[in-house]
Amino acid sequence: MAFSTEAVFRDDAYLRETEATVVGINDRGGIILDRTIFYATSGGQPGDTGVMLRPDGSPIAVAATITGEHKDEIIHVPALEQAVPQVGEKLRLAIDWPRRLLLMRMHAACHLLTVVCPYPITGAAVGEEDSRVDFDIPDAGFTKEDVTIRLMELVQANHPIYTRWISEDELAANPTLVKSKNVRPPSGTGRIRLVCIGDNASIDSQPCGGTHVASTAEIGEIHIGKIEKKGRENRRFRIRFGAMLAN
């Protein structure tokens, strides 16, 4: 039996704590709730970690968060040797906020990179200190110094970052919104979540289910650490926090 979890993080990525009720425990001990602030691994962004507090105050450490039979079934994977709550039990959830904030800043930075490098995306992975975006670019024609300058211009402009929903028909009528070369947004729900940057999405707009900071300025200082050749037409751009080191 598959469950559907209300994904609170889709509407409020800054909510650090909330209450939820256990609706199921799967055969591997994964905990399924009626609602959650824990992001589940998807789209290159790792799932959240954190803790659940039981009514008696005892903690259940969450080592990972993943999806189940479908995207809306969110499974909280407890760390080893944790107690298993009962179905119907009410828990207090708290995500590892410092880690989540790093991932939100990085994920937003990856979106900016797709603005600076407007080419089909062939892969991506968001990390706490180092992220990558792979592009289908026959001839790189980019230097890490030039890309860093353009990224920081967007960061310092303090553009708003927000989400909005469109119908699947609207997406079909605007196929250029999808930047990934091989991966399409999940369909079947009737609506698509867009992450927009800039007033009236003047900088960017693309389907994404991840979490991001609310403005480009919150990303902070970033730089391109390396541009790698991965095959004849693939280039991998690595984004890192902090200033670029002098050669």
Side-chain angles (χ1 to χ4, degrees):
M1 176 181 176
F3 295 90
S4 288
T5 304
E6 179 191 349
V8 180
F9 55 80
R10 287 183 189 148
D11 295 316
D12 186 357
Y14 286 83
L15 189 60
R16 308 181 193 190
E17 297 188 14
T18 194
E19 292 182 347
T21 302
V22 179
V23 295
I25 305 292
N26 68 15
D27 54 4
R28 296 186 178 182
I31 302 166
I32 307 166
L33 308 170
D34 63 339
R35 62 197 302 270
T36 189
I37 51 175
F38 281 74
Y39 179 81
T41 300
S42 181
Q45 180 177 333
D48 281 321
T49 58
V51 67
M52 301 174 172
L53 294 177
R54 306 183 74 183
D56 64 3
S58 61
I60 300 172
V62 177
T65 310
I66 59 176
T67 54
E69 293 184 23
H70 54 77
K71 287 281 187 181
D72 289 325
E73 184 178 64
I74 298 176
I75 299 171
H76 307 77
V77 181
L80 295 175
E81 299 180 359
Q82 300 294 294
V84 178
Q86 301 296 313
V87 171
E89 191 170 325
K90 294 189 180 300
L91 304 174
R92 183 74 185 173
L93 315 183
I95 57 173
D96 181 340
W97 175 246
R99 177 177 179 270
R100 159 71 85 76
L101 185 57
L102 287 172
L103 294 171
M104 287 167 58
R105 291 168 58 200
M106 269 295 196
H107 200 153
C110 289
H111 280 244
L112 291 187
L113 181 57
T114 71
V115 174
V116 174
C117 301
Y119 296 90
I121 299 168
T122 56
V126 181
E128 297 163 46
E129 299 296 337
D130 180 290
S131 296
R132 67 169 174 85
V133 182
D134 301 344
F135 295 97
D136 184 353
I137 309 176
D139 178 15
F142 292 94
T143 67
K144 60 184 183 180
E145 291 80 9
D146 288 343
V147 175
T148 295
I149 289 170
R150 294 183 63 191
L151 284 172
M152 285 308 301
E153 287 173 351
L154 291 168
V155 168
Q156 292 165 354
N158 195 22
H159 295 292
I161 303 175
Y162 60 96
T163 61
R164 72 183 187 94
W165 295 86
I166 62 171
S167 69
E168 291 182 4
D169 289 341
E170 286 177 280
L171 181 66
N174 295 276
T176 56
L177 288 173
V178 180
K179 297 189 176 187
S180 176
K181 184 176 182 179
N182 302 312
V183 179
R184 301 290 300 178
S187 60
T189 63
R191 63 179 194 157
I192 301 292
R193 181 180 186 260
L194 295 182
V195 171
C196 306
I197 303 177
D199 294 324
N200 298 313
S202 58
I203 302 300
D204 189 44
S205 181
Q206 60 180 292
C208 183
T211 60
H212 313 78
V213 286
S215 72
T216 60
E218 288 185 61
I219 294 170
E221 189 156 34
I222 52 174
H223 68 276
I224 298 298
K226 187 183 297 185
I227 301 176
E228 303 168 287
K229 185 175 182 180
K230 294 290 182 179
R232 186 167 59 89
E233 295 185 342
N234 277 305
R235 299 293 183 276
R236 174 168 293 175
F237 290 67
R238 291 200 172 274
I239 306 176
R240 294 169 184 162
F241 284 126
M244 179 177 287
L245 298 176
N247 291 327

